[in-house]
Amino acid sequence: MKDTPAHLFDALELMEASQIDDLTAALETKIAQDPSDMRALLMLGNGYYLRGKISEAIITYQKAIVANPRLPYAYYYLGVCQYRCMRLDEAIATLEQAIQTGPALIMTHYWLGIAYYHKGLYQKSRHAFEVLLKNNKESAIAHYHAALACMADQAYDCALYHLEALVERGNENPQVQLQLGNVYYRLNRIEDAIAAYKKGLQINPDNIPLRDALKYLTDVQEP
């Protein structure tokens, strides 16, 4: 294929919805004539995905895998679609296959971490995000989701590492401050928790979870 699947996906994202629909119709005709056309299959799957036709996208990516079982992009996009349908066991198996066939597809670890998390496999989820971070140390979203996985597994020191890494890099998302405060609270660092909640409220004074968390720690009733 002359174009990589990632470039094909990017090209589709730049199109208007009506343009994607027109292209999808043309691709359906083309595939009916040549079911083994990998470029057309991947573009069609991507078109279905972008238009919210996830079931059609799944079928299309499955056809692409039958035509070429060694194509990691097909496994990657199929796994994402299966996750979107909350078919978690299938998504995990497919994304693991994507990693086996295409180790360079680093973002596969992100989706695998998300799928593991929603499956309740928190240690595996954390590991997936940390593998992503080995290849992209600046990934804020990987740090954040790794922290959530650590918190769910009650590994609070691990969660603290990831959240503090975000803060050190200048992240100003109030949700990060909320989770940081929650971790400090779990580690019995109450003053640090209060400071984190206050900082989050400086960023977003209307954040109700932050206000409630701060009130819980500071609005102490007299005995």
Side-chain angles (χ1 to χ4, degrees):
M1 289 183 293
K2 182 178 179 181
D3 299 310
T4 67
H7 289 158
L8 297 177
F9 195 88
D10 291 341
L12 284 171
E13 285 189 316
L14 296 174
M15 293 182 177
E16 299 290 337
S18 60
Q19 292 177 308
I20 295 176
D21 289 338
D22 291 342
L23 178 59
T24 296
L27 290 168
E28 288 171 340
T29 300
K30 188 171 185 179
I31 291 169
Q33 298 169 348
D34 181 6
S36 64
D37 188 328
M38 292 301 301
R39 183 177 185 277
L41 281 168
L42 289 174
M43 286 190 71
L44 180 60
N46 294 350
Y48 284 144
Y49 177 83
L50 290 174
R51 296 293 285 136
K53 299 178 179 180
I54 306 301
S55 296
E56 289 92 334
I58 287 175
I59 293 171
T60 304
Y61 293 133
Q62 287 172 333
K63 289 179 180 178
I65 289 171
V66 171
N68 184 353
R70 300 298 304 169
L71 190 65
Y73 291 98
Y75 289 107
Y76 172 80
Y77 290 127
L78 174 60
V80 172
C81 287
Q82 289 169 331
Y83 166 75
R84 293 291 190 188
C85 293
M86 293 307 290
R87 292 160 55 174
L88 296 179
D89 291 332
E90 295 174 66
I92 289 169
T94 302
L95 291 167
E96 287 175 343
Q97 186 63 38
I99 290 171
Q100 290 181 21
T101 57
L105 293 181
I106 300 304
M107 282 305 294
T108 306
H109 293 283
Y110 169 78
W111 288 104
L112 188 57
I114 293 291
Y116 279 142
Y117 182 88
H118 287 285
K119 185 67 178 174
L121 301 173
Y122 302 123
Q123 290 185 4
K124 287 188 173 183
S125 176
R126 165 188 169 183
H127 175 71
F129 292 122
E130 290 177 344
V131 171
L132 173 56
L133 284 166
K134 286 180 181 179
N135 294 274
N136 183 1
K137 295 180 181 180
E138 304 302 317
S139 176
I141 196 168
H143 273 300
Y144 182 75
H145 284 292
L148 294 184
C150 292
M151 291 173 69
D153 200 35
Q154 298 185 5
Y156 297 114
D157 288 329
C158 161
L160 183 62
Y161 163 78
H162 288 291
L163 291 168
E164 287 186 336
L166 287 172
V167 173
E168 288 170 4
R169 288 171 171 76
N171 187 286
E172 294 190 352
N173 188 328
Q175 196 67 15
V176 171
Q177 294 297 328
L178 174 63
Q179 301 303 341
L180 181 60
N182 292 344
V183 169
Y184 281 140
Y185 174 75
R186 292 291 184 178
L187 293 172
N188 201 33
R189 294 172 55 175
I190 305 304
E191 293 303 319
D192 288 331
I194 291 172
Y197 295 143
K198 286 182 176 179
K199 184 174 180 180
L201 285 169
Q202 289 175 358
I203 299 169
N204 181 1
D206 297 323
N207 188 295
I208 294 176
L210 278 166
R211 286 162 54 185
D212 289 345
L214 180 61
K215 182 178 180 181
Y216 177 79
L217 293 184
T218 58
D219 190 9
V220 180
Q221 298 295 322
E222 292 291 335

